[in-house]
Amino acid sequence: MTLPTPYHGSGPGPITPDGCAVDYYAMLTPNGEPEIIHAAAPAGASILELGAGAGRITRGLLALGHEVVAVDESPEMLAHIEDTETICSPIQSLSAGRAFDVVLLMSFVIETADDELRRAFLRTCRRHVAEDGCVILQRKPPEWYDTIQPFERITEAGHVVRMTEVSRPAPDLLYATMEYTVGDRRWTHSFLSRRLDDDFLRSSLEEEGLTMAGFLGGDREWVRALPV
Ligand SMILES: C[S@@+](CC[C@H](N)C(=O)[O-])C[C@H]1O[C@@H](n2cnc3c(N)ncnc32)[C@H](O)[C@@H]1O
Protein backbone atom coordinates (compact mmCIF):
# COMPACT_ATOMS: atom_id res chain seq x y z
CA MET A 1 0.00 0.00 0.00
CA THR A 2 1.36 3.45 -0.92
CA LEU A 3 0.60 6.09 1.67
CA PRO A 4 0.48 9.81 0.87
CA THR A 5 3.42 12.09 1.77
CA PRO A 6 3.01 12.53 5.54
CA TYR A 7 3.31 16.32 5.53
CA HIS A 8 3.12 19.05 2.95
CA GLY A 9 2.66 22.78 3.37
CA SER A 10 2.48 25.66 0.91
CA GLY A 11 1.93 29.41 0.93
CA PRO A 12 3.75 32.66 1.61
CA GLY A 13 6.66 32.73 4.07
CA PRO A 14 8.56 29.88 5.73
CA ILE A 15 6.98 26.44 6.13
CA THR A 16 8.15 24.04 8.86
CA PRO A 17 9.25 20.46 8.05
CA ASP A 18 5.83 19.25 9.26
CA GLY A 19 4.05 21.63 6.88
CA CYS A 20 3.00 24.47 9.22
CA ALA A 21 3.02 28.03 7.90
CA VAL A 22 5.10 30.16 10.27
CA ASP A 23 3.41 33.46 9.38
CA TYR A 24 -0.03 31.95 9.94
CA TYR A 25 0.82 30.40 13.33
CA ALA A 26 2.47 33.69 14.39
CA MET A 27 -0.86 35.48 14.09
CA LEU A 28 -2.96 32.92 16.01
CA THR A 29 -4.06 33.48 19.59
CA PRO A 30 -4.74 30.84 22.27
CA ASN A 31 -8.15 29.36 22.77
CA GLY A 32 -8.13 28.46 26.46
CA GLU A 33 -5.21 26.00 26.24
CA PRO A 34 -2.89 27.80 28.73
CA GLU A 35 -5.64 27.76 31.36
CA ILE A 36 -6.29 24.01 30.84
CA ILE A 37 -2.57 23.27 31.31
CA HIS A 38 -2.24 25.68 34.24
CA ALA A 39 -5.13 24.02 36.07
CA ALA A 40 -3.33 20.65 35.83
CA ALA A 41 0.08 21.93 36.90
CA PRO A 42 1.41 22.96 40.31
CA ALA A 43 1.70 26.73 40.84
CA GLY A 44 4.86 28.05 39.21
CA ALA A 45 5.65 24.66 37.65
CA SER A 46 8.53 24.49 35.18
CA ILE A 47 7.23 23.47 31.75
CA LEU A 48 9.07 21.99 28.79
CA GLU A 49 6.92 22.83 25.79
CA LEU A 50 7.66 20.52 22.84
CA GLY A 51 6.60 21.82 19.42
CA ALA A 52 6.06 25.34 20.77
CA GLY A 53 5.78 26.93 17.32
CA ALA A 54 5.62 30.72 17.43
CA GLY A 55 4.81 30.82 21.14
CA ARG A 56 1.01 31.02 20.95
CA ILE A 57 0.70 28.94 24.15
CA THR A 58 4.12 29.82 25.61
CA ARG A 59 3.13 33.42 26.25
CA GLY A 60 -0.05 32.42 28.08
CA LEU A 61 1.85 29.95 30.29
CA LEU A 62 4.44 32.61 31.15
CA ALA A 63 1.67 35.05 32.05
CA LEU A 64 0.21 32.41 34.38
CA GLY A 65 3.49 32.30 36.33
CA HIS A 66 5.24 29.29 34.78
CA GLU A 67 8.85 28.98 33.76
CA VAL A 68 8.76 27.72 30.17
CA VAL A 69 11.46 26.31 27.91
CA ALA A 70 10.12 26.29 24.34
CA VAL A 71 11.37 23.65 21.90
CA ASP A 72 10.84 23.50 18.16
CA GLU A 73 12.81 22.33 15.15
CA SER A 74 11.90 25.47 13.20
CA PRO A 75 14.18 28.46 13.85
CA GLU A 76 11.68 30.65 12.01
CA MET A 77 8.95 29.67 14.49
CA LEU A 78 11.20 30.18 17.52
CA ALA A 79 12.25 33.64 16.26
CA HIS A 80 8.79 34.79 17.40
CA ILE A 81 9.48 33.79 21.03
CA GLU A 82 11.45 36.44 22.87
CA ASP A 83 10.38 36.23 26.48
CA THR A 84 11.87 32.89 27.49
CA GLU A 85 14.52 30.27 26.73
CA THR A 86 14.14 28.44 23.44
CA ILE A 87 15.86 25.31 22.13
CA CYS A 88 15.95 24.66 18.40
CA SER A 89 15.95 20.87 18.15
CA PRO A 90 13.94 17.98 16.83
CA ILE A 91 11.80 16.70 19.71
CA GLN A 92 12.99 13.14 19.16
CA SER A 93 16.67 13.93 19.80
CA LEU A 94 16.22 16.62 22.43
CA SER A 95 18.57 16.71 25.36
CA ALA A 96 17.67 19.71 27.50
CA GLY A 97 19.97 18.58 30.31
CA ARG A 98 17.40 18.86 33.09
CA ALA A 99 13.99 17.60 34.20
CA PHE A 100 10.74 19.60 34.31
CA ASP A 101 7.60 19.53 36.44
CA VAL A 102 5.50 19.33 33.27
CA VAL A 103 6.41 18.14 29.79
CA LEU A 104 3.87 19.37 27.28
CA LEU A 105 3.38 17.80 23.85
CA MET A 106 0.31 19.46 22.41
CA SER A 107 -1.13 20.49 19.05
CA PHE A 108 -1.65 16.87 17.97
CA VAL A 109 2.06 16.35 17.25
CA ILE A 110 1.78 12.96 19.00
CA GLU A 111 -0.57 11.79 16.20
CA THR A 112 2.23 11.36 13.66
CA ALA A 113 1.61 8.33 11.46
CA ASP A 114 5.26 7.32 11.98
CA ASP A 115 5.12 4.83 14.86
CA GLU A 116 8.87 4.98 15.56
CA LEU A 117 8.79 8.78 15.66
CA ARG A 118 5.85 8.67 18.11
CA ARG A 119 7.83 6.31 20.36
CA ALA A 120 10.79 8.69 20.21
CA PHE A 121 8.52 11.63 21.17
CA LEU A 122 7.32 9.68 24.21
CA ARG A 123 10.88 8.75 25.17
CA THR A 124 11.78 12.47 25.08
CA CYS A 125 8.84 13.17 27.39
CA ARG A 126 9.97 10.43 29.77
CA ARG A 127 13.62 11.61 29.74
CA HIS A 128 12.64 15.15 30.68
CA VAL A 129 9.85 14.72 33.21
CA ALA A 130 10.70 14.97 36.92
CA GLU A 131 9.95 11.83 38.93
CA ASP A 132 7.08 13.69 40.68
CA GLY A 133 6.08 15.56 37.51
CA CYS A 134 3.64 14.84 34.69
CA VAL A 135 3.39 14.73 30.91
CA ILE A 136 0.45 16.44 29.20
CA LEU A 137 -0.46 15.37 25.68
CA GLN A 138 -3.09 16.72 23.31
CA ARG A 139 -4.65 14.36 20.79
CA LYS A 140 -7.91 14.42 18.87
CA PRO A 141 -10.45 12.15 20.58
CA PRO A 142 -10.76 8.92 18.53
CA GLU A 143 -14.36 9.77 17.58
CA TRP A 144 -13.11 12.84 15.68
CA TYR A 145 -11.29 10.53 13.29
CA ASP A 146 -14.44 8.51 12.65
CA THR A 147 -16.69 11.45 11.84
CA ILE A 148 -14.62 14.33 10.42
CA GLN A 149 -15.69 15.57 6.97
CA PRO A 150 -14.60 18.54 4.85
CA PHE A 151 -15.86 21.83 6.34
CA GLU A 152 -15.51 25.58 6.14
CA ARG A 153 -15.70 28.04 9.01
CA ILE A 154 -14.81 31.64 9.69
CA THR A 155 -12.95 32.34 12.90
CA GLU A 156 -13.62 35.25 15.25
CA ALA A 157 -10.55 36.95 13.74
CA GLY A 158 -12.11 36.63 10.27
CA HIS A 159 -9.76 33.88 9.01
CA VAL A 160 -11.37 31.38 6.63
CA VAL A 161 -10.47 27.82 7.71
CA ARG A 162 -11.37 25.00 5.35
CA MET A 163 -10.73 21.30 5.42
CA THR A 164 -10.74 20.58 1.72
CA GLU A 165 -9.82 16.91 1.56
CA VAL A 166 -10.29 13.93 3.86
CA SER A 167 -9.38 10.34 3.13
CA ARG A 168 -8.72 7.24 5.18
CA PRO A 169 -5.84 5.43 3.42
CA ALA A 170 -5.64 2.66 6.04
CA PRO A 171 -7.38 1.70 9.26
CA ASP A 172 -6.61 4.34 11.92
CA LEU A 173 -4.94 6.66 9.40
CA LEU A 174 -6.42 9.91 8.16
CA TYR A 175 -5.09 12.14 5.42
CA ALA A 176 -6.45 15.69 5.33
CA THR A 177 -5.70 19.04 3.79
CA MET A 178 -6.38 22.31 5.60
CA GLU A 179 -6.56 25.66 3.86
CA TYR A 180 -6.20 28.93 5.78
CA THR A 181 -7.08 32.27 4.16
CA VAL A 182 -6.32 35.61 5.78
CA GLY A 183 -7.06 38.57 3.50
CA ASP A 184 -5.20 37.84 0.26
CA ARG A 185 -2.84 35.28 1.82
CA ARG A 186 -3.58 31.56 1.64
CA TRP A 187 -1.74 28.57 3.08
CA THR A 188 -2.38 24.85 2.74
CA HIS A 189 -1.28 22.11 5.11
CA SER A 190 -1.69 18.41 4.32
CA PHE A 191 -0.98 15.80 6.94
CA LEU A 192 -1.23 12.09 7.61
CA SER A 193 -2.32 11.36 11.19
CA ARG A 194 -2.89 8.29 13.28
CA ARG A 195 -6.02 7.82 15.36
CA LEU A 196 -4.86 7.11 18.92
CA ASP A 197 -7.58 5.32 20.83
CA ASP A 198 -7.30 5.07 24.59
CA ASP A 199 -5.98 1.48 24.67
CA PHE A 200 -3.34 2.13 22.01
CA LEU A 201 -2.22 5.33 23.70
CA ARG A 202 -2.11 3.64 27.11
CA SER A 203 0.09 0.83 25.83
CA SER A 204 2.30 3.23 23.85
CA LEU A 205 2.87 5.25 27.02
CA GLU A 206 3.60 2.12 29.04
CA GLU A 207 6.21 0.95 26.54
CA GLU A 208 8.13 4.16 27.23
CA GLY A 209 7.84 4.16 31.02
CA LEU A 210 4.76 6.35 31.37
CA THR A 211 1.34 5.54 32.72
CA MET A 212 -1.92 7.14 31.61
CA ALA A 213 -3.35 8.93 34.64
CA GLY A 214 -6.52 10.48 33.21
CA PHE A 215 -7.91 13.26 31.09
CA LEU A 216 -8.10 17.01 31.55
CA GLY A 217 -11.73 17.85 30.83
CA GLY A 218 -14.54 15.70 29.58
CA ASP A 219 -13.75 15.35 25.88
CA ARG A 220 -10.64 13.11 26.31
CA GLU A 221 -8.54 15.44 24.13
CA TRP A 222 -5.99 16.25 26.85
CA VAL A 223 -4.22 13.28 28.41
CA ARG A 224 -2.19 13.32 31.63
CA ALA A 225 0.56 10.73 32.06
CA LEU A 226 2.94 10.04 34.93
CA PRO A 227 6.41 8.52 34.99
CA VAL A 228 6.39 4.94 36.21
C1 LIG B 1 0.78 22.74 14.62
S1 LIG B 1 2.20 23.65 15.12
C2 LIG B 1 1.68 24.14 16.74
C3 LIG B 1 2.53 25.16 17.41
C4 LIG B 1 2.07 25.54 18.82
N1 LIG B 1 2.10 24.41 19.73
C5 LIG B 1 0.67 26.11 18.78
O1 LIG B 1 -0.25 25.45 19.23
O2 LIG B 1 0.51 27.22 18.28
C6 LIG B 1 3.32 22.29 15.43
C7 LIG B 1 4.73 22.74 15.76
O3 LIG B 1 5.48 21.58 16.13
C8 LIG B 1 6.74 21.62 15.52
N2 LIG B 1 7.20 20.24 15.32
C9 LIG B 1 6.55 19.25 14.70
N3 LIG B 1 7.28 18.13 14.70
C10 LIG B 1 8.43 18.43 15.36
C11 LIG B 1 9.59 17.68 15.68
N4 LIG B 1 9.71 16.40 15.34
N5 LIG B 1 10.56 18.29 16.38
C12 LIG B 1 10.44 19.61 16.72
N6 LIG B 1 9.39 20.37 16.41
C13 LIG B 1 8.38 19.78 15.74
C14 LIG B 1 6.54 22.33 14.21
O4 LIG B 1 7.74 22.90 13.74
C15 LIG B 1 5.47 23.37 14.60
O5 LIG B 1 6.06 24.58 15.00
Side-chain angles (χ1 to χ4, degrees):
M1 175 187 33
T2 310
L3 293 174
T5 312
Y7 299 108
H8 181 256
S10 70
I15 303 286
T16 65
D18 74 334
C20 296
V22 174
D23 293 359
Y24 179 66
Y25 272 88
M27 71 175 79
L28 295 182
T29 51
N31 193 19
E33 298 91 338
E35 289 74 17
I36 291 173
I37 298 155
H38 177 65
S46 59
I47 300 180
L48 180 68
E49 187 188 359
L50 303 172
R56 185 176 72 94
I57 307 306
T58 321
R59 281 181 280 279
L61 293 171
L62 290 167
L64 289 165
H66 296 285
E67 175 211 339
V68 185
V69 175
V71 177
D72 206 283
E73 66 184 345
S74 161
E76 293 93 350
M77 282 284 198
L78 291 179
H80 291 272
I81 303 180
E82 293 176 337
D83 316 333
T84 196
E85 182 185 344
T86 60
I87 302 177
C88 189
S89 167
I91 295 167
Q92 56 274 30
S93 57
L94 178 71
S95 180
R98 54 174 284 209
F100 294 79
D101 300 319
V102 175
V103 178
L104 175 63
L105 182 60
M106 55 170 292
S107 307
F108 320 108
V109 171
I110 189 69
E111 293 175 353
T112 172
D114 180 335
D115 291 336
E116 189 42 50
L117 185 60
R118 186 178 327 100
R119 288 187 199 105
F121 287 164
L122 292 176
R123 281 196 289 276
T124 294
C125 294
R126 180 65 184 89
R127 265 199 317 280
H128 290 90
V129 67
E131 289 310 310
D132 59 352
C134 72
V135 174
I136 295 177
L137 306 171
Q138 186 186 26
R139 58 122 198 219
K140 289 281 188 206
E143 302 75 32
W144 181 88
Y145 275 82
D146 304 332
T147 55
I148 189 68
Q149 295 293 337
F151 65 83
E152 175 173 325
R153 70 183 169 85
I154 300 183
T155 69
E156 278 179 24
H159 306 170
V160 181
V161 176
R162 298 174 67 214
M163 186 177 264
T164 57
E165 186 189 359
V166 176
S167 61
R168 293 171 173 82
D172 290 326
L173 290 185
L174 182 121
Y175 186 73
T177 298
M178 301 298 302
E179 185 185 276
Y180 306 105
T181 307
V182 180
D184 58 3
R185 287 185 292 170
R186 178 172 299 183
W187 296 271
T188 65
H189 184 191
S190 301
F191 53 87
L192 182 67
S193 285
R194 194 194 199 285
R195 176 185 189 273
L196 302 176
D197 67 31
D198 296 355
D199 288 344
F200 181 79
L201 186 56
R202 186 177 291 108
S203 62
S204 303
L205 287 162
E206 279 171 9
E207 280 169 23
E208 307 308 337
L210 294 161
T211 186
M212 200 153 125
F215 303 106
L216 315 182
D219 61 4
R220 291 156 57 245
E221 178 166 314
W222 295 86
V223 177
R224 185 165 179 272
L226 300 174
V228 176

